[in-house]
Amino acid sequence: MSESPQPLVLFLGNARYGEFEPLRETGARVGLIRDVSSHGWSAPDDAFDVVIPWNPADGVEGLSAGLPHDGSVCVLNLREAYVEEYARLCAVLALPALDPADVAALRSKHLMRQLFRDGIGADSTGRFEAVVSAAEVVEFGETHGWPVVLKPATLYSSLFVVTVTGPQDAATVFARVQDGVAAHVRAKQLPERFTALQVEEFLAGSNHSVDLVVDREGVAHPSPVVDVLTGADLGGEDFHHFARYAPSRAPAPAQRQMADLAVQASRAMGLRLCAAHVEFILTPQGPRLLEVGIRPGGHRARVLREAHGVSFMAAYAAVMRGEAPDLERKFDRPFGIVTPFPRATGTFEGLHAPERLTGLASYRSHSVYHSPGKTIGTAAQGHWQVLSAELVAGTTAELVQDMEQVWEMTDLVAVRTTPGPGPEAADAGTTPTPHPVPRPVPHPIPHLLLIGGKDSGFASIAELDIRITLLQERAHLTARQTERADTLIVYDRLDAALAESTALFLHEQHGSGPFDAVLSFAEQHLLTAARIGERLSIVHNPLPAVRDSRDKLLTRALLDRHGLQSVPYRSCRSLAEATAFQAELAAPVVLKPAAGSGSRGVRLVDGPAGLAPGWEYAAADGAAVIAEEYIPGPEVSVETLTLDGKHEILAVTEKITTGAPSFVETGHQLPASLAPAVQEAVTTTTTALLDALGHQWGPAHTEFRIREDGRPVLIETQTRFGGDQIWQMVELVTGVRLAKATAAAMLGVATPRDAPTAQAAAIRFFAYENTVVRAIDGPDDARGLPGVVTVQLSARVGQELGPLAGSGSRQGYVLATGADRQEAVERAEAAHRAVKWVVDE
């Protein structure tokens, strides 16, 4: 019997963290049809199982050919910007969704208000009129009463929505909104119909929303009510959604009325096979409909999941597959998301005194969506949000109280309204100059700036009595980091320029800075941390040490200058140069990216016939390529810790690899089995290398090959701890917690070392390739075996595995300890065998 294909859920155009991950809990794979023309906020490609590039200018017809038509794939849309393309794609895929022309028409708030009035009743919504002049606004206000609301009839996210208080303001406000909308429509290359304006009766009351999914027959299934606080609710001048939270504070009968009215609105609009977002004003006379978006509401899926345990995306995918959705609340927990806008338009400088936010009792985390130097402003002026923060409280009243405190932080989003470097300068890598502020008195508790990384580095640092400011990517954010970091700033993607400009801003802010030291254990942020430390003149690992270790060509040149034994090598800019080098050696060579890691791009070339494919493999990322003489023999790495320039040899690790041609590591064992003379040679060479580098702070991971005659040959070093859980093996066997020891020494904090928990450790990886995983059995049995510390699996049943191109291609590992090296190896291999994989031959 053939197995059903694993479900694949594709998001059209864009998807952010917090929206797609819960779908994996349903057993589905998650993919993205990425809009390559958009620079909007989205999770990176490596967050998805499948990524399909797409340019909306090319239409959607070409997408159909690349999608399976076996029912295993469904496509979801989360964004207003793609609702029309989504309808066209559904039509191409022959899904029984709305007609694309109807979807285009239904984006008009004017049309949907007419449908509410005609299909539900005049009292279902407020009074409204299309307007083309200030005089018509005045006429509407004189007829129905002031104030009135002026808004675009088709745009969304509360852009350009304003209150007109009376006839004296009508001409000025109308001209400002009309001009702003026209400019926005031109900039976004939207159809002319998006410039239409509408005036509405001002409805006094509280704001709420209901998100629902509509099945193939047009039956709508509502989710719990989510409450909204707008800027106007809190005393501001526009209607941007400042906060979304649940459980709702609306009376239970009113919540039932809103759910029922949302279903009626869906029926009046003729919706089917889609998600919809329905907004209300709860007036003293009952709920009144505002508008309906044919997609989920912003942040609503996250609020519903955290406040009620409702997986809205799973329900959306269910109706697309013809299955019954589950939108029943599982629990009630006060949870909200606030999105503070600046109070004026200007240049973004960062967050001012963010500890006011992070110090709230309900604070969980926050994300910044723009880098300093960007132009930002209010929603009424057509700008998007800059910041979002998640809050969790014991009661809804406490949650709302903290939200109101955030509203009072009027300068939290720091804006420079005076002339200065603009977005162009920031994009070019410069950093805006913050407002001058008095240098604060150093905080009595040492302050560490930590850039990126995983809990492998963060967990032990968290135990120190220090302040921690963490700049983190959402993909690596954990609950431990969220709870422990004193200041946490989260980005969808953290690049060097963004980290540096943010660090500079925070360092100069009273209450946020200054920092005493900067540190990173993440490979991609090592240079960034060194640059920040140099710029701020705080404790850091020197930039030359990090730079020269990360580039294999610079490492080779350093070895040559200091007379340290190296391997014959050449920097190659072309296949011809690599061919010439191999011919000179008349021996096998290894081609690798000069700045690579994790065995990525490494390829052994035995002779001339293998040079062309080997070059293509090593140069695939466009980086410089280094060619080296191939040294046969065992591989080992030396794990060290350097504190204020003093190097300590902690362990020597023996490696097992796949061998030629890619040498992907499949196991490690510690300690290595080396003759005393070889052990002395590798450790002495390592210390000399670290001295030559000028390495000052933190762990290092230095790799050697051992020739047949026992002479070690230095291959490379990295100023970080060893990956592949080598750091954990070192901690188990030596008691030295590398990250904690480094941070404590840099900050002058005394911390004792832990006692070792084992004499030896070994790890074995699961490393299948070019196959399909059909079943995985026995991981719990493996976890129960003697000495087993960890069994971790990263593959899923039904997953297609490609070639074993590097460490990231492996599918998990087992880690075990023992009284000696042999026992640790035997235990790791027994646990490895206990996990039974069924894969295609």
Side-chain angles (χ1 to χ4, degrees), residues 686-755:
T686 297
T687 300
L689 169 62
L690 297 178
D691 280 338
L693 278 172
H695 182 48
Q696 288 290 306
W697 294 103
H701 172 74
T702 307
E703 298 181 354
F704 291 84
R705 281 267 190 172
I706 311 299
R707 292 184 184 271
E708 292 181 358
D709 60 5
R711 288 181 298 142
V713 178
L714 200 157
I715 302 300
E716 62 186 64
T717 191
Q718 297 287 345
T719 54
R720 53 156 174 82
F721 45 63
D724 281 359
Q725 303 302 120
I726 291 175
W727 63 270
Q728 186 178 10
M729 296 167 67
V730 169
E731 291 186 356
L732 290 167
V733 174
T734 70
V736 178
R737 304 180 72 184
L738 296 166
K740 181 179 183 180
T742 302
M746 293 175 80
L747 295 169
V749 176
T751 181
R753 291 190 173 183
D754 296 343

Side-chain angles (χ1 to χ4, degrees), residues 397-643:
E398 293 170 344
L399 179 70
V400 173
Q401 182 178 9
D402 278 2
M403 289 176 172
E404 291 171 345
Q405 285 193 53
V406 178
W407 173 261
E408 296 301 325
M409 300 174 192
T410 57
D411 60 347
L412 178 63
V413 179
V415 177
R416 182 179 58 244
T417 56
T418 56
E424 296 78 9
D427 291 341
T430 60
T431 304
T433 303
H435 292 305
V437 296
R439 187 69 173 177
V441 176
H443 198 281
I445 301 178
H447 193 176
L448 176 67
L449 173 62
L450 194 59
I451 313 295
K454 301 180 181 179
D455 274 352
S456 53
F458 187 88
S460 62
I461 292 177
E463 299 173 4
L464 295 171
D465 184 19
I466 62 174
R467 295 175 65 203
I468 299 175
T469 290
L470 174 62
L471 309 186
Q472 182 61 289
E473 289 190 309
R474 187 174 292 278
H476 301 307
L477 182 66
T478 67
R480 177 186 280 116
Q481 295 168 13
T482 299
E483 293 167 3
R484 172 61 179 88
D486 298 278
T487 300
L488 172 64
I489 301 181
V490 183
Y491 306 87
D492 279 358
R493 184 177 293 276
L494 178 60
D495 60 28
L498 183 56
E500 287 184 46
S501 58
T502 302
L504 177 62
F505 178 81
L506 293 175
H507 186 67
E508 297 292 341
Q509 298 307 299
H510 182 71
S512 298
F515 304 117
D516 298 299
V518 59
L519 188 58
S520 180
F521 296 107
E523 177 112 20
Q524 68 272 31
H525 300 310
L526 294 174
L527 274 171
T528 300
R531 290 193 185 100
I532 290 171
E534 195 170 79
R535 184 164 187 176
L536 301 183
S537 297
I538 58 178
V539 181
H540 66 285
N541 204 29
L543 181 59
V546 180
R547 180 194 62 218
D548 292 354
S549 64
R550 280 189 50 77
D551 189 308
K552 295 175 177 61
L553 290 172
L554 293 177
T555 303
R556 292 276 175 252
L558 182 82
L559 294 173
D560 292 344
R561 290 198 305 273
H562 289 267
L564 296 171
Q565 186 178 17
S566 181
V567 62
Y569 73 97
R570 181 164 300 168
S571 172
C572 298
R573 293 168 295 180
S574 66
L575 172 59
E577 292 184 357
T579 301
F581 176 72
Q582 194 275 328
E584 289 175 17
L585 288 179
V589 297
V590 175
L591 301 179
K592 61 177 72 171
S597 62
S599 304
R600 291 184 296 273
V602 178
R603 184 55 55 99
L604 172 65
V605 176
D606 289 322
L611 280 165
W615 176 266
E616 182 178 358
Y617 185 76
D621 291 337
V625 171
I626 184 172
E628 301 174 347
E629 179 189 5
Y630 171 60
I631 307 296
E635 293 185 45
V636 298
S637 64
V638 181
E639 321 308 330
T640 57
L641 178 63
T642 299
L643 303 178

Side-chain angles (χ1 to χ4, degrees), residues 5-94:
Q6 186 179 10
L8 172 63
V9 180
L10 290 169
F11 289 89
L12 181 64
N14 172 294
R16 302 170 193 157
Y17 287 113
E19 294 175 329
F20 58 87
E21 303 98 308
L23 282 165
R24 290 199 170 102
E25 298 174 7
T26 69
R29 292 183 299 150
V30 179
L32 176 66
I33 301 173
R34 182 177 292 285
D35 179 355
V36 297
S37 69
S38 171
H39 300 289
W41 316 306
S42 181
D45 286 357
D46 58 12
F48 301 96
D49 301 295
V50 175
V51 177
I52 302 172
W54 169 60
N55 190 330
D58 297 333
V60 297
E61 288 71 21
L63 291 174
S64 175
L67 300 180
H69 292 262
D70 55 11
S72 64
V73 176
C74 67
V75 184
L76 311 184
N77 173 50
L78 310 183
R79 306 287 177 253
E80 182 75 21
Y82 303 118
V83 294
E84 293 180 41
E85 285 89 348
Y86 182 63
R88 287 193 288 270
L89 179 60
C90 288
V92 168
L93 297 176

